[in-house]
Amino acid sequence: MSDIPLVLPAFVCIPLVAAFLLPILGSFGRKGRVVATALANLAALSLLAMSIASTNQFSVYNVGRWSIPLGINMVLDGFSALFLITVNLVSSAALLFSVRYMEQYTAKPKYLSLFMLMVAGMNGVVLTGDLFNLFVFLEVASIASYALVGFGCDDEQLEASFKYMVLGEVGSMFILLAIGLVYGATGMLNMAYISKAIQNNPTNVVLCFALALFIAGFGLKAALVPFHAWLPDAHSSAPAPISAMLSGILIKVLGVYALVRTIFSIFGISTTVGTLLVVLGVVNMVTGAFLAIGQGDLKRLLAYSSISQVGYIFLGIGLGGALLAAGASPVWASLAILGGLFHLLNHAVSKSLLFLTSGSVEMAAGTRQLDQLGGLAEKLPLTRASCAVASASIVGIPPFGGFWSKLILVIAAIGAGVYWAAALIVAVSVCTLIMYLKVHRYVFLGELSETRQQIKESRGSMAVAMICLACLCVFLGLVFLAPALRAELLEPAAKVLCDGVGYADKIMEFSKDMIVCAD
Amino acid sequence: MPYAMCFLLFMIGLYCAVVKKNMVKIVIGLAVMEYAVNLFLIMLGFRVNGAAPIVDKTCYDPATGRVTAGFLNAAVDPLPQALVLTSIVIGLGTLALLISICIRTYEKYGTFDITQIRKLKG
């Protein structure tokens, strides 16, 4: 316990230092750029190792030794640890992929720098225990992602970036206004203290309005359905590794994590809010799936599929929350939350792998329009195999990870007596199957056109990144049969959400000896 | 009442950002929203005839060694001011990026009208 608190700021500091060091290194010619790339990968891998080491622990770090509520604290609990691992896993794979993929762009050190800023922002959002600090990290990650979406400076990328940025900023302003309202109503910015203050005064109108603003703001960031218009544009226009980051983790950290943390740990879940999350989740699932089937662009199809899969996560967590608030069947509630969180992990891995394979296809064939592709199976065997593994996981074919998470969600929904939700989960899975069959049919099967006889499989770091993620898709499915992953990663995370506002007590208990008598 | 005016300003900014067709006007709308929120934050800490929240020797009660209640009741809340400073810096960053994207888009398309900037569909 003694050495862990020192590590917490490192999750933000390492990528932040790297972000400012890399462009300087990159200005020393070709060798400098090689060193910068190696250093960025090293930073990402060390973050991954640290996040694996931090599972199943609880620790609080007071930044600058200022005790709460005066200072800012960083909190690592099971729920944060799950997101830390997901973020650093996907970011190290995407960074490895970009070593070779980003050769086609100029200004690679600037790309690496923005990438590291995005990682720093996301790690910060996950670890912070202060509401305004959460907003700051959220903006760091968002601004880096706006710039990365428009990185190529083509017409479409600029258009997508502008659209994404306008909607993202509207969302951020909602969040900032909500934080202001919460501060006005409680006089606190520390999440634990706000939570205490809200429990003492639960029916405050201002706080209800703030909660609504939080749901709208974080919902915009998570692309919940009425606010989803920016996502397909932004995620399909960005360079492939960035699409993998955006779809794999950014919408989950800025949207799902921030919203769930706010609702469960600060405001406390109520039946109304839980039901609202279930409804939003179901609408997302169905709309995303139907819009995805009609797409003719490979990356747009994957982006709409992300909207659909985020719906599953919200369905699981919302169902669990509604059951918890109703006080009925806590077993099914924790199972639903567990299913939602496990689906989040599976979707992060498999969707980022799918976006990486789409980058590999685009690099080899020069287009991502489905009707212009075809017959690539022979030329791109590795890409095809990893795409097949990822699709199988996302559709939910046993024994891949996605099957188990959907199975848990179905069992939880049936156990809780919400049969229509269980039926919808299965039905949307069938739609997902159709859209990924379409991908395989158009991209990999059929006739190879004459002009593409010379195309080559992606090699080097791109291949390694795809193989690693594909192995992970299989591994997540197999390991779930063994209890290790569940006990170390998923159950602590689900427990944090089941405890709800018990979060505050835990933090205060932990930092009791550090709190000074302030009056 | 000032809060209501502040909220009205926020809604004007939101309306402008969502409804207007010109990219520059959308950016202005976002900026108005941001200023409304900053104004709201600064008003949270405002006190009529408030004192600067700086503790010096005269603020301590010599008997108890603590800050006097009179000072606590008169001083304005310094925290929202710190928040607004941070938020202004973040706003500067986003505004600069938004405007630079506007300029690059204008170079490509030759127009600021978003109804004519529609290469993406679906």
Side-chain angles (χ1 to χ4, degrees):
Chain A
M1 200 59 102
S2 60
D3 54 343
I4 290 297
L6 294 173
V7 176
L8 286 188
F11 281 109
V12 181
C13 292
I14 290 178
L16 212 54
V17 170
F20 290 101
L21 205 60
L22 295 175
I24 301 175
L25 277 173
S27 63
F28 291 113
R30 203 181 157 276
K31 268 190 185 150
R33 282 200 292 279
V34 173
V35 174
T37 315
L39 202 67
N41 276 292
L42 193 69
L45 284 177
S46 61
L47 286 173
L48 176 62
M50 274 163 46
S51 56
I52 290 173
S54 68
T55 48
N56 207 0
Q57 290 181 31
F58 180 82
S59 72
V60 178
Y61 177 86
N62 291 340
V63 179
R65 295 204 163 245
W66 288 93
S67 58
I68 54 170
L70 296 176
I72 292 167
N73 63 350
M74 291 175 116
V75 181
L76 174 79
D77 58 10
F79 191 49
S80 310
L82 173 70
F83 275 84
L84 265 187
I85 285 200
T86 317
V87 165
N88 293 307
L89 195 69
V90 174
S91 68
S92 33
L95 201 56
L96 195 61
F97 188 87
S98 25
V99 172
R100 203 179 171 84
Y101 185 82
M102 292 309 287
E103 295 294 339
Q104 52 184 320
Y105 291 86
T106 52
K108 198 172 167 192
K110 291 192 185 106
Y111 165 83
L112 293 172
S113 171
L114 285 170
F115 193 102
M116 280 292 153
L117 272 180
M118 195 159 87
V119 174
M122 282 191 283
N123 281 341
V125 166
V126 168
L127 282 176
T128 187
D130 183 275
L131 206 50
F132 189 74
N133 203 230
L134 183 126
F135 171 76
V136 172
F137 282 126
L138 187 114
E139 282 295 270
V140 169
S142 304
I143 294 175
S145 73
Y146 305 144
L148 282 169
V149 165
F151 195 74
C153 284
D154 285 343
D155 308 7
E156 288 142 40
Q157 290 168 344
L158 288 170
E159 183 190 339
S161 177
F162 185 76
K163 218 170 174 182
Y164 175 31
M165 196 161 175
V166 169
L167 286 172
E169 277 312 294
V170 170
S172 297
M173 285 307 119
F174 279 180
I175 295 165
L176 187 58
L177 185 62
I179 292 173
L181 287 171
V182 167
Y183 180 73
T186 63
M188 297 284 179
L189 280 174
N190 188 281
M191 289 186 193
Y193 280 80
I194 293 172
S195 169
K196 280 280 170 210
I198 288 176
Q199 285 168 67
N200 294 336
N201 185 10
T203 51
N204 190 324
V205 183
V206 175
L207 288 173
C208 291
F209 182 52
L211 181 60
L213 282 173
F214 272 128
I215 292 176
F218 292 132
L220 256 164
K221 301 267 180 195
L224 288 178
V225 145
F227 312 122
H228 70 286
W230 59 270
L231 186 139
D233 294 343
H235 289 200
S236 62
S237 304
I242 296 307
S243 311
M245 289 288 281
L246 294 178
S247 249
I249 47 182
L250 194 84
I251 52 171
K252 302 202 178 76
V253 171
L254 302 193
V256 180
Y257 173 85
L259 185 57
V260 169
R261 178 64 95 192
T262 316
I263 290 178
F264 279 74
S265 297
I266 299 181
F267 283 88
I269 186 79
S270 65
T271 324
T272 329
V273 177
T275 319
L276 180 68
L277 286 185
V278 171
V279 171
L280 286 172
V282 167
V283 171
N284 253 37
M285 267 162 60
V286 176
T287 325
F290 279 120
L291 287 171
I293 292 178
Q295 295 302 313
D297 179 321
L298 176 55
K299 280 174 89 175
R300 282 188 89 80
L301 188 149
L302 296 179
Y304 275 111
S305 160
S306 282
I307 296 179
S308 167
Q309 302 296 318
V310 165
Y312 278 95
I313 299 166
F314 273 111
L315 172 67
I317 295 176
L319 185 64
L323 290 176
L324 276 180
S329 56
V331 181
W332 298 120
S334 66
L335 197 65
I337 291 176
L338 188 84
L341 293 177
F342 189 41
H343 195 71
L344 183 144
L345 183 58
N346 281 322
H347 178 247
V349 172
S350 51
K351 184 50 66 65
S352 48
L353 177 55
L354 279 167
F355 269 114
L356 294 187
T357 58
S358 83
S360 167
V361 166
E362 194 185 358
M363 203 177 179
T367 180
R368 43 175 210 254
Q369 294 300 322
L370 289 173
D371 50 1
Q372 292 168 23
L373 290 162
L376 295 179
E378 213 173 300
K379 296 282 177 189
L380 307 175
L382 178 68
T383 308
R384 188 211 181 177
S386 39
C387 184
V389 169
S391 319
S393 176
I394 221 165
V395 171
I397 294 172
F400 297 101
F403 168 72
W404 299 107
S405 51
K406 286 187 184 175
L407 185 68
I408 297 172
L409 284 176
V410 170
I411 292 174
I414 291 176
V418 196
Y419 299 108
W420 58 271
L424 266 175
I425 291 171
V426 178
V428 173
S429 282
V430 174
C431 290
T432 317
L433 179 67
I434 295 171
M435 72 177 100
Y436 284 104
L437 283 179
K438 180 179 164 184
V439 169
H440 281 268
R441 159 76 185 75
Y442 278 96
V443 176
F444 295 111
L445 304 179
E447 286 288 304
L448 186 65
S449 73
E450 287 297 317
T451 49
R452 297 220 178 89
Q453 294 298 337
Q454 300 304 317
I455 62 170
K456 289 195 180 69
E457 173 65 291
S458 48
R459 283 170 295 139
S461 74
M462 285 168 70
V464 174
M466 286 195 292
I467 292 171
C468 287
L469 282 179
C471 289
L472 210 66
C473 276
V474 181
F475 176 74
L476 279 176
L478 295 180
V479 107
F480 196 66
L481 299 175
L485 178 79
R486 232 170 33 205
E488 283 292 314
L489 195 58
L490 294 169
E491 273 167 6
K495 194 172 170 302
V496 169
L497 294 190
C498 291
D499 285 350
V501 286
Y503 169 82
D505 296 324
K506 231 172 153 185
I507 289 177
M508 287 181 185
E509 178 68 22
F510 195 88
S511 32
K512 192 171 52 185
D513 14 306
M514 288 180 273
I515 294 175
V516 289
C517 290
D519 51 324
Chain B
M1 186 61 194
Y3 291 114
M5 298 295 280
C6 191
F7 192 69
L8 186 69
L9 191 63
F10 184 82
M11 294 317 276
I12 291 171
L14 183 63
Y15 173 83
C16 182
V18 173
V19 174
K20 289 293 170 188
K21 301 280 179 249
N22 187 313
M23 286 174 87
V24 179
K25 286 184 185 164
I26 292 174
V27 174
I28 292 172
L30 285 175
V32 170
M33 270 173 89
E34 193 193 304
Y35 297 147
V37 177
N38 287 347
L39 190 64
F40 174 71
L41 284 175
I42 217 71
M43 282 196 314
L44 283 176
F46 178 73
R47 237 171 218 175
V48 182
N49 300 325
I54 301 168
V55 179
D56 57 16
K57 279 176 191 153
T58 56
C59 304
Y60 284 102
D61 188 345
T64 58
R66 291 197 169 173
V67 180
T68 54
F71 174 75
L72 285 179
N73 290 332
V76 296
D77 185 355
L79 193 71
Q81 301 177 5
L83 301 189
V84 166
L85 267 181
T86 319
S87 139
I88 287 173
V89 174
I90 293 172
L92 177 77
T94 50
L95 214 57
L97 187 58
L98 268 170
I99 290 171
S100 56
I101 290 176
C102 282
I103 294 171
R104 293 301 287 266
T105 317
Y106 186 78
E107 284 171 1
K108 299 271 182 194
Y109 289 84
T111 175
F112 279 128
D113 189 349
I114 54 166
T115 52
Q116 289 172 29
I117 304 172
R118 299 193 66 94
K119 289 204 176 169
L120 296 163
K121 58 192 181 308

